Amino acid sequence: MEKLAGTLPKAELHLHIEGTFEPELIFSIAERNKIKVPFASVEALRAAYEFQDLQSFLDLYYAGMNVLRTEEDFYDLALAYFEKAHAQNVLHAEIFFDPQAHTARGISFDVVIEGLSKAVSESKKKFGITSKLIMCFLRDQSAESAMETLESALKYGDRIVAVGLDSAEVGNPPQKFKDVFDRARANGWLTVAHAGEEGPPEYVWEALKILKVSRVDHGVRSLEDADLTRHLIEEQMALTVCPLSNVRLKVFSHLKQHNLKKMLELGIRATINSDDPAYFGGYVSDNFRAAQNALELSQEELENLARNSFHASFLTDAERAKYLSMVDDAVKHWHGLNRQDCCQHD
Ligand code: HPA
Ligand code: ZN
């Protein structure tokens, strides 16, 4: 079954491109840009990845991306992710980026999006992966700063599929960004938001009612509210769950305590994603495998998670149908292999 977790075709819907920045690549890009990394070695940097909560992670996450300066840097970062994703059978990815974390350092929005867009095109050619970009606003910055960021993105209209909301959640409720999200929707962009990771279920309600999100990122605290749980099931609202992230950031003390299996049993449209794989110890199939082991997910639940990832994506209906039939084929192939296994042993 571990093998099935790896081989199932998947879409990844909750992935911060800056969170795929592996220490080796941080050091090599720092060297190219003649920037000193405040860690003695790759190993010393990796050893610092011990987090108490979301903020302690964010401090290192923002420090790491400081070496990204040129279009080529953003291209290299994204292409390295696509290579890993391809090896884990990701067929489609919807990728967050944090423009304010770069513009605040004097890197122009254009440099960021040009580098990422080139990697998006190249990954389609090289790996056959389709992908879309989701521009996130840093919720611990002002709504005015988010609106300015939105203005600078308008000219890139169709290179961006949606806007999102990330960074420090508690104390920065979704309603703070109502006007920005209204403007984004008026521009034809979809909306998503991190909510209910560390923040309370009320933040999930606000993301749904005020920001009119099409998916909730994380959303694991939703189950504390019975009405919200019912609403998510009725609406088949997708949650982009990130199991290894939740354990590394101490949202759950152990993967065995995670509520992902409960969500599936309740009929919530949950998906599995890697969030910031360079920091949290695994890419998407690693998350599938870890969750499967800890929660004893059934074969049917694994298949369900793979299907949910395409149902919850922003693909067109025709694209979605094509990918779902690829999941069906992989499952049939898997059953065929297992039948052969069983009979050869008989
Ligand atoms: N939560 C909030 N902000 C983030 C995260 C996350 O898991 N990863 C990168 N920015
Ligand atoms: Zn996230």
Side-chain angles (χ1 to χ4, degrees):
M1 213 120 79
E2 282 223 358
K3 221 165 176 186
L4 179 65
T7 56
L8 275 170
K10 311 163 185 79
E12 176 145 60
L13 308 177
H14 185 153
L15 183 279
H16 302 262
I17 200 64
E18 296 90 346
T20 69
F21 207 1
E22 294 284 351
E24 290 79 2
L25 192 58
I26 292 182
F27 271 85
S28 83
I29 289 184
E31 194 178 354
R32 183 163 80 196
N33 290 340
K34 303 191 173 30
I35 299 167
K36 191 150 170 33
V37 179
F39 287 87
S41 64
V42 162
E43 293 71 31
L45 176 54
R46 200 166 258 128
Y49 294 175
E50 282 288 336
F51 311 115
Q52 282 69 54
D53 54 15
L54 175 57
Q55 189 59 56
S56 61
F57 152 69
L58 290 170
D59 293 343
L60 266 178
Y61 169 78
Y62 293 124
M65 67 179 82
N66 177 47
V67 306
L68 295 167
R69 300 286 161 97
T70 67
E71 217 178 281
E72 187 187 11
D73 298 342
F74 286 93
Y75 173 86
D76 289 349
L77 170 68
L79 208 68
Y81 163 69
F82 283 122
E83 197 165 341
K84 293 235 168 52
H86 178 60
Q88 300 211 347
N89 286 306
V90 172
L91 305 185
H92 176 72
E94 297 182 1
I95 297 173
F96 298 135
F97 69 109
D98 284 335
Q100 289 157 292
H102 309 300
T103 53
R105 304 182 287 110
I107 312 302
S108 78
F109 189 94
D110 309 83
V111 162
V112 179
I113 198 152
E114 290 295 349
L116 296 179
S117 303
K118 287 196 175 113
V120 162
S121 308
E122 181 62 17
S123 87
K124 177 83 179 78
K125 268 195 263 159
K126 198 165 173 187
F127 305 118
I129 298 180
T130 52
S131 56
K132 295 176 187 289
L133 295 176
I134 301 177
M135 173 173 70
C136 279
F137 303 114
L138 304 184
R139 68 201 305 158
D140 46 356
Q141 308 277 315
S142 67
E144 291 73 29
S145 168
M147 194 65 100
E148 274 168 33
T149 305
L150 182 143
E151 299 291 341
S152 54
L154 287 174
K155 69 175 181 206
Y156 292 107
D158 60 358
R159 292 212 212 163
I160 295 169
V161 69
V163 300
L165 199 58
D166 64 3
S167 202
E169 185 182 7
V170 175
N172 296 295
Q175 55 151 322
K176 176 175 163 188
F177 296 94
K178 179 187 184 303
D179 292 348
V180 184
F181 274 59
D182 281 350
R183 178 112 167 80
R185 279 185 282 100
N187 188 54
W189 286 325
L190 297 165
T191 63
V192 297
H194 284 53
E197 178 187 18
E198 286 189 339
E202 293 76 57
Y203 284 21
V204 178
W205 278 122
E206 284 186 21
L208 295 167
K209 301 273 182 205
I210 301 177
L211 305 186
K212 302 189 185 347
V213 296
S214 302
R215 298 195 290 253
V216 175
D217 296 314
H218 292 297
V220 290
R221 290 197 56 195
S222 303
L223 269 55
E224 294 170 24
D225 177 333
D227 288 338
L228 177 57
T229 303
R230 243 186 321 274
H231 180 80
L232 295 174
I233 298 165
E234 272 165 23
E235 297 295 318
Q236 281 297 285
M237 174 59 57
L239 303 187
T240 61
V241 177
C242 307
L244 290 175
S245 163
N246 290 156
V247 174
R248 287 299 192 99
L249 301 188
K250 303 198 168 23
V251 174
F252 294 93
S253 56
H254 192 279
L255 207 43
K256 286 188 189 298
Q257 259 85 54
H258 201 289
N259 59 12
L260 172 68
K261 190 174 175 87
K262 175 87 186 158
M263 286 180 186
L264 295 172
E265 286 166 355
L266 289 169
I268 290 178
R269 181 165 277 172
T271 64
I272 285 188
N273 307 270
S274 68
D275 206 3
D276 302 282
Y279 293 89
F280 299 148
Y283 286 76
V284 69
S285 290
D286 306 315
N287 273 270
F288 265 77
R289 277 189 286 268
Q292 198 271 319
N293 275 324
L295 302 172
E296 299 177 16
L297 299 178
S298 66
Q299 184 174 323
E300 200 183 351
E301 284 168 331
L302 288 179
E303 294 170 18
N304 196 4
L305 285 159
R307 289 199 180 92
N308 283 353
S309 73
F310 293 108
H311 281 298
S313 73
F314 297 145
L315 290 160
T316 64
D317 287 346
E319 290 166 329
R320 191 188 332 279
K322 183 190 81 181
Y323 283 127
L324 285 169
S325 78
M326 291 169 82
V327 176
D328 291 343
D329 290 347
V331 168
K332 273 191 216 126
H333 183 67
W334 171 258
H335 285 302
L337 283 179
N338 280 350
R339 249 195 312 278
Q340 271 175 19
D341 264 6
C342 102
C343 301
Q344 277 162 10
H345 292 303
D346 278 350

